[in-house]
């Protein structure tokens, strides 16, 4: 399979411009982790808008410090250096991985012509052979006041190259476009637009439109879920919303609603004899209500695709 390198000079001409968000764009053949590299630069005082892209990562990190690798030039592996400034309170920084997810999902859906959904909080999902698969993910780190979101997307992975059966790629999902230069330009433009709106609104997810945009793409809302919580605890119910703090709101069988800020989410296939509680007025019904079968997918590696167990 032909996997040409990214054209760094062409990408810079298209994306780095005076007055724009992106101030530099570097493509390296290989690195340990783009997030670690940019976080180090942030601590050294690097300005906002730096983009670091790796053709291959050898120490990529995901949630819970999971490790993953992928063949060189088989995907998009990048990190961004952002400094939201005094107009955005630090407690709003938690929206950054969700913003990155919306930017990636919307850009990839539009350019690749495949539907890319978001599984709370940071998974990118596509459908391959009728089954929901993990396409990639987001990991955001803080570094001396700067925010460093890392994004990973499987673009051209073939079935034999998948780390686990639950993984997927744009190619396997039947994407119309898999040219990585085209996809990366669209992703970074989408991110810049959403980020500037969010920053102008002081990080307010409602005023910036980020919360409704995320909810519209979130495949978790409306579905029956099992949330694996810290301390070997689990919560089961229907995911009914994402709140103003980016937490997943889960309604359990007794009608109580629980806001979850951290945990591994599994989409549960409902049993035919257990239809689950009907949605409340104005609440989005879940796919489980229509008995659409699906396989459980664990949260994606936030910095990018990683081998998760189903």
């Amino acid at each position: 399979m032909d996997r040409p390198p990214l054209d760094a000079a062409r990408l810079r001409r298209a994306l780095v411009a005076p007055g724009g968000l992106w101030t530099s764009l570097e493509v390296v053949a290989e690195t340990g982790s783009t997030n670690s590299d940019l976080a180090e630069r942030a601590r050294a005082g690097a300005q906002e808008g730096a983009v670091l892209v790796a053709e291959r990562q050898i120490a990529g990190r995901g949630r819970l410090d999971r490790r993953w690798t992928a063949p060189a030039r088989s995907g998009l592996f990048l990190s961004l250096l952002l400094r939201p400034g005094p107009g955005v309170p630090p407690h709003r920084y938690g929206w950054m991985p969700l913003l990155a997810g919306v930017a990636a999902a919307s850009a990839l859906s539009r350019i690749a012509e495949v539907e890319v959904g978001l599984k709370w909080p940071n998974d990118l999902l596509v459908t391959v052979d009728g089954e929901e698969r993990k396409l990639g993910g987001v990991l955001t780190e803080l570094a001396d006041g700067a925010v460093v979101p890392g994004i990973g997307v499987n673009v051209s992975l073939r079935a034999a190259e998948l780390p686990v059966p639950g993984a997927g790629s744009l190619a396997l999902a039947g994407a119309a476009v898999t040219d990585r230069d085209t996809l990366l330009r669209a992703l970074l433009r989408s991110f810049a637009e959403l980020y500037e709106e969010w920053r102008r609104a002081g990080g307010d997810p409602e005023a910036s439109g980020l919360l409704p945009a995320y909810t519209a793409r979130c495949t978790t809302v409306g579905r029956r879920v099992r949330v694996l919580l810290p301390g070997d605890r689990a919560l089961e119910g229907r995911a009914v919303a994402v709140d103003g703090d980016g937490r997943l709101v889960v309604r359990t069988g007794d009608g109580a609603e629980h806001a979850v800020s951290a945990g591994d989410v599994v989409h549960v296939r409902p049993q035919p004899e257990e239809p689950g509680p009907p949605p409340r007025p104005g609440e989005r019904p879940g796919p489980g209500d229509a008995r659409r079968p699906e396989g459980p997918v664990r949260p994606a590696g936030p910095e990018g695709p990683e081998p998760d167990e189903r």
Side-chain angles (χ1 to χ4, degrees), residues 8 96 143-144 148 151 156 172 177 179 201 203 295-297:
M96 195 67 71
D144 287 356
V148 181
I151 304 171
S156 63
L172 291 174
V177 174
D179 177 76
V297 182

Side-chain angles (χ1 to χ4, degrees), residues 4-5 44-45 135 149 193 244 261 265 268 280 288 292 298 302:
L135 178 69
E193 181 179 348
S261 59
V265 173
V268 176
R280 293 178 180 174
R292 182 169 64 85
R298 290 173 60 83

